Structure formats: structure tokens, C-alpha cells
Amino acid sequence: QVQLVESGGGLVQAGGSLRLSCADSGSIFSINYMGWYRQAPGKQRERVAYITSRGSTDYADSVKGRFTISRDNAKNTVYLQMNSLKPEDTAVYYCYAWYSSTDYWGRGTQVTISS
């Protein structure tokens, strides 16, 4: 069973940084695909970044060069380092995992960027 819990959200000024964490109650070693999505008010949920078990990553164009996704299998945690934050990054950020043909989602963490 995969249970994802996000943390690290908050309110920061534009240009600042935040690091989000997504911890699984069990081992993430076997989870091939984990990622971060976000949903702003009135908008559809969009994929921000993902990372595979082999460490391959991909990013949305809007965050390339500013965000970095990483995973620490020993700590069963996936991170999203967010730098040079912009007001348009304001959203609820969700952790996602795909494992054994099943989608798993965290409850989300709010990120608010003030101008």
C-alpha cells in the first residue's frame, strides 16, 4: 500500500525558494514513477515534474531550470526543490505515484507566492 504525505508548502515572496517533500509510509524503491502535480484555482491539475526509479526526470516547460525533482529511496521520500518562484507558481502541489497499475495521490500542500 502506498500512502503519500506532502510537506514543505508555505508562503514566500517572488524570487524565493521552497522544498517540498513527499514521504511514503513504505518503501518507494519499487515505485517506478513518482511525480509532482499542481492545481491553481480555476485551473486543471498539471504535471510539474516526474522521476523514475532509474532517476530519469522530466519537467513542465514552465518550471524547467527552476525546479528540481529528486528521490531518496533510503528515506522513502521524493523532493521538489523550487527556486526563483513566481506568483504563477501559486497552487496546491500534489505528490503522485504509479505503482502496480494503480494511481496514488497525496492530499496536497499549498504553495503561495506573493509578488
Side-chain angles (χ1 to χ4, degrees):
Q1 184 71 16
V2 176
Q3 292 182 318
L4 306 173
V5 179
E6 304 97 336
S7 61
L11 170 65
V12 297
Q13 289 187 333
S17 298
L18 282 173
R19 188 177 80 156
L20 305 183
S21 299
C22 171
D24 181 24
S25 57
S27 172
I28 67 170
F29 182 80
S30 298
I31 300 177
N32 183 57
Y33 180 103
M34 298 190 73
W36 288 94
Y37 287 68
R38 67 186 181 186
Q39 187 166 19
K43 294 188 177 181
Q44 290 189 330
R45 190 173 296 189
E46 63 173 352
R47 188 176 70 191
V48 175
Y50 75 77
I51 185 166
T52 70
S53 58
R54 294 187 177 186
S56 297
T57 60
D58 193 44
Y59 299 89
D61 288 342
S62 58
V63 306
K64 281 181 181 177
R66 300 188 298 122
F67 290 11
T68 303
I69 189 170
S70 61
R71 62 193 288 169
D72 186 335
N73 290 339
K75 295 183 178 180
N76 300 321
T77 302
V78 173
Y79 303 97
L80 185 68
Q81 178 66 44
M82 306 186 295
N83 299 327
S84 302
L85 284 162
K86 305 175 181 180
E88 50 264 43
D89 294 318
T90 294
V92 178
Y93 284 70
Y94 298 91
C95 183
Y96 168 83
W98 186 80
Y99 176 68
S100 192
S101 301
T102 302
D103 298 320
Y104 295 92
W105 292 93
R107 292 188 174 184
T109 184
Q110 177 70 46
V111 171
T112 304
I113 312 302
S114 63
S115 57

